[in-house]
Amino acid sequence: MEGQDEVSAREQHFHSQVRESTICFLLFAILYVVSYFIITRYKRKSDEQEDEDAIVNRISLFLSTFTLAVSAGAVLLLPFSIISNEILLSFPQNYYIQWLNGSLIHGLWNLASLFSNLCLFVLMPFAFFFLESEGFAGLKKGIRARILETLVMLVLLALLILGIVWVASALIDNDAASMESLYDLWEFYLPYLYSCISLMGCLLLLLCTPVGLSRMFTVMGQLLVKPAILEDLDEQIYIITLEEEALQRRLNGLSSSVEYNIMELEQELENVKTLKTKLERRKKASAWERNLVYPAVMVLLLIETSISVLLVACNILCLLVDETAMPKGTRGPGIGNASLSAFGFVGAALEIILIFYLMVSSVVGFYSLRFFGNFIPRKDDTTMTKIIGNCVSILVLSSALPVMSRTLGITRFDLLGDFGRFNWLGNFYIVLSYNLLFAIVTTLCLVRKFTSAVREELLKALGLHKLHLSNTPRDSETAKPSANGHQKAL
């Protein structure tokens, strides 16, 4: 009987492993297909001929798609775990959700950590060097020569990173035991290196997310139709039409020798046509779309931002009085044993909404920063080098998202796998400083956003507007047509 029980246990374990592997493969396949369509939408269209560069571009495209799929999986990891915990808690004995268990959740966290390391340290550097390689001088040109050069560059990069980590470890913790532990490549070196990358990703999120939270109001204002208050859209369309006709006549009257003026007029004409299209869209929009959707979305964004800041403030108080509030505190009751929110399923849904909102805001803030402004992809006109840079940036942000969400107290779900092994998560001063900086910077960005109009009017009243003391996006928007179709110069 004991032998039969052992065989049946092995069979059950084997079937559960096959089931979990199949689920993981199907989920990743869906993410890969979606990522492929996203990248091909922005990738610059090249010739269809099968030359050497086309093969290299195709390989880099597949590696970039894999990285973007891993990034999407890292973003969905924490929301999927939270909703799975609530489902298992609500339906513990349901036959149709037996596949959803703690083993599957732990496996997904481990795979996300493994693939994030693989993409960040191997696949993306390989794709970049492979794309830029030409082969060593004296060797026959071809794919093999480019692969050889890429592998040599990867080895040199690995040695460089190894040296940097050794120096950093010596400066931070000059201990013989810690230095000897770096010889353990798999158990210590890679997790330590990934911990440093995660810390940099969290610092990048700390910079991007507050900017994105304030920028989201502008972005949604550009996408939605604003209410037409004290505006005559027919008159504005009439004026824009006259301006378009005048520019067209000037463009037709210029000779082809004045190339600079022609290019300048063509750009101005394109801006006027874009503005006319947006004005016509505002005119055709229904009353409920103008007067209901826009205010509702703005109020919703304000509520989500306020809740995020309040949760961070509450987490700061919890950190001061409770040790279990630390991201690397005591382990929770496990998946499917207890609800992580005092409000049950509603609280879990709110946590998921806030996590997605923070991720979208961080991406918007990332592309709003001046240093990363050139990274913005353009439809059908983005080079593979820029696509690789975007994939790496999104991977760093998405990998740090679960850590940031747990550090800020947005959720109480324990970080699983290598995500919960980061040493800096147990440092009270780092975690407290991170929460304080996030709350302060977010509040300052929101105050700066909503008081920009008042600040500009005060500067104009004092006669100081010519000194450009108010460096706000509104200053640049007055020089070009606004995205919602209302041009104040008219």
Side-chain angles (χ1 to χ4, degrees):
M1 292 295 294
E2 293 180 0
Q4 293 179 356
D5 293 339
E6 184 178 355
V7 171
S8 62
R10 290 180 179 178
E11 290 180 354
Q12 186 177 3
H13 179 71
F14 174 76
H15 289 306
S16 63
Q17 291 292 328
V18 172
R19 182 175 62 249
E20 292 173 7
S21 301
T22 305
I23 294 172
C24 294
F25 176 79
L26 291 177
L27 293 176
F28 185 78
I30 295 173
L31 295 177
Y32 187 91
V33 172
V34 174
S35 302
Y36 179 80
F37 282 112
I38 292 175
I39 291 182
T40 52
R41 177 181 176 83
Y42 291 98
K43 180 180 176 295
R44 177 178 294 175
K45 305 302 179 183
S46 57
D47 297 333
E48 297 298 332
Q49 57 184 0
E50 290 291 334
D51 57 352
E52 181 180 325
D53 291 333
I55 297 175
V56 172
N57 283 331
R58 189 175 294 110
I59 295 175
S60 300
L61 173 63
F62 291 152
L63 296 179
S64 301
T65 306
F66 184 87
T67 302
L68 187 60
V70 173
S71 304
V75 172
L76 297 174
L77 190 61
L78 190 56
F80 181 77
S81 301
I82 295 174
I83 196 66
S84 299
N85 180 74
E86 297 299 326
I87 291 176
L88 290 174
L89 188 63
S90 303
F91 309 99
Q93 302 298 329
N94 195 312
Y95 174 77
Y96 297 100
I97 60 172
Q98 292 299 315
W99 56 273
L100 191 62
N101 50 39
S103 177
L104 175 64
I105 304 300
H106 282 82
L108 289 174
W109 281 79
N110 291 328
L111 287 177
S113 176
L114 175 63
F115 286 155
S116 298
N117 282 281
L118 182 65
C119 294
L120 195 59
F121 300 125
V122 180
L123 297 185
M124 284 294 93
F126 178 87
F128 177 76
F129 290 132
F130 191 46
L131 195 66
E132 299 295 329
S133 64
E134 296 180 357
F136 292 113
L139 296 179
K140 183 179 179 181
K141 301 297 181 181
I143 298 295
R144 293 184 177 179
R146 299 181 72 161
I147 292 177
L148 179 61
E149 180 183 352
T150 303
L151 294 177
V152 172
M153 292 299 297
L154 283 178
V155 172
L156 295 177
L157 179 64
L159 294 176
L160 176 63
I161 295 177
L162 177 64
I164 292 175
V165 173
W166 269 77
V167 173
S169 178
L171 293 176
I172 297 174
D173 189 8
N174 191 9
D175 187 9
S178 63
M179 298 298 293
E180 290 179 359
S181 61
L182 286 176
Y183 290 109
D184 194 347
L185 183 66
W186 186 259
E187 291 295 332
F188 184 84
Y189 179 74
L190 286 180
Y192 179 78
L193 186 58
Y194 189 59
S195 176
C196 297
I197 298 296
S198 176
L199 179 59
M200 289 190 293
C202 288
L203 294 177
L204 183 61
L205 283 175
L206 181 61
L207 179 65
C208 298
T209 307
V211 177
L213 289 174
S214 61
R215 180 70 177 165
M216 282 292 290
F217 295 91
T218 304
V219 173
M220 295 307 298
Q222 294 173 351
L223 297 177
L224 300 176
V225 178
K226 291 185 177 180
I229 302 175
L230 301 178
E231 292 185 63
D232 190 350
L233 295 178
D234 294 328
E235 181 182 356
Q236 293 186 30
I237 293 175
Y238 176 71
I239 296 175
I240 285 293
T241 304
L242 293 179
E243 186 177 354
E244 181 184 1
E245 293 175 355
L247 288 173
Q248 191 66 49
R249 285 195 299 268
R250 288 180 59 188
L251 191 60
N252 294 334
L254 287 177
S255 60
S256 59
S257 59
V258 192
E259 183 178 354
Y260 177 75
N261 290 336
I262 290 178
M263 294 178 60
E264 186 177 357
L265 286 176
E266 286 179 350
Q267 182 65 32
E268 189 174 355
L269 181 61
E270 187 68 26
N271 293 335
V272 170
K273 288 181 178 179
T274 303
L275 178 58
K276 182 180 178 182
T277 303
K278 293 175 179 178
L279 285 173
E280 292 175 348
R281 176 175 176 266
R282 292 188 66 194
K283 184 180 178 181
K284 294 178 182 179
S286 59
W288 71 269
E289 184 180 357
R290 290 196 306 266
N291 302 323
L292 181 62
V293 175
Y294 178 81
V297 171
M298 291 296 112
V299 171
L300 183 62
L301 290 179
L302 184 60
I303 291 174
E304 290 180 344
T305 306
S306 303
I307 292 176
S308 301
V309 177
L310 287 176
L311 287 176
V312 175
C314 294
N315 189 56
I316 293 174
L317 296 178
C318 293
L319 287 172
L320 295 175
V321 299
D322 189 5
E323 295 181 354
T324 60
M326 291 290 293
K328 204 175 181 180
T330 57
R331 296 292 91 187
I335 299 175
N337 295 327
S339 179
L340 301 174
S341 175
F343 300 99
F345 196 86
V346 177
L350 179 61
E351 291 179 359
I352 293 174
I353 293 173
L354 291 178
I355 290 171
F356 282 123
Y357 179 58
L358 290 178
M359 183 61 197
V360 174
S361 301
S362 65
V363 174
V364 172
F366 176 79
Y367 288 116
S368 299
L369 297 176
R370 294 182 180 180
F371 184 76
F372 302 106
N374 295 328
F375 269 50
I376 300 177
R378 302 183 183 276
K379 183 181 178 182
D380 298 332
D381 192 30
T382 307
T383 61
M384 276 306 305
T385 304
K386 188 176 290 187
I387 288 177
I388 292 173
N390 278 275
C391 290
V392 172
S393 303
I394 294 176
L395 177 63
V396 172
L397 293 176
S398 60
S399 299
L401 178 66
V403 182
M404 185 193 74
S405 301
R406 182 64 182 91
T407 304
L408 296 178
I410 303 298
T411 179
R412 294 297 177 184
F413 190 88
D414 291 323
L415 300 175
L416 305 177
D418 289 335
F419 290 92
R421 295 170 54 188
F422 300 150
N423 294 328
W424 62 271
L425 291 176
N427 192 311
F428 172 78
Y429 298 102
I430 293 178
V431 174
L432 182 63
S433 302
Y434 192 89
N435 281 264
L436 289 172
L437 284 174
F438 183 87
I440 293 173
V441 174
T442 303
T443 304
L444 291 178
C445 288
L446 292 176
V447 171
R448 180 177 180 271
K449 171 68 180 177
F450 291 112
T451 61
S452 59
V454 178
R455 191 167 60 250
E456 289 177 7
E457 294 300 329
L458 288 176
L459 291 176
K460 289 180 181 179
L462 297 175
L464 300 176
H465 60 283
K466 296 181 180 180
L467 299 178
H468 302 286
L469 298 176
S470 178
N471 187 19
T472 61
R474 292 175 60 91
D475 298 334
S476 61
E477 289 175 1
T478 56
K480 62 182 180 180
S482 61
N484 65 340
H486 177 55
Q487 191 178 24
K488 296 182 180 179
L490 297 177

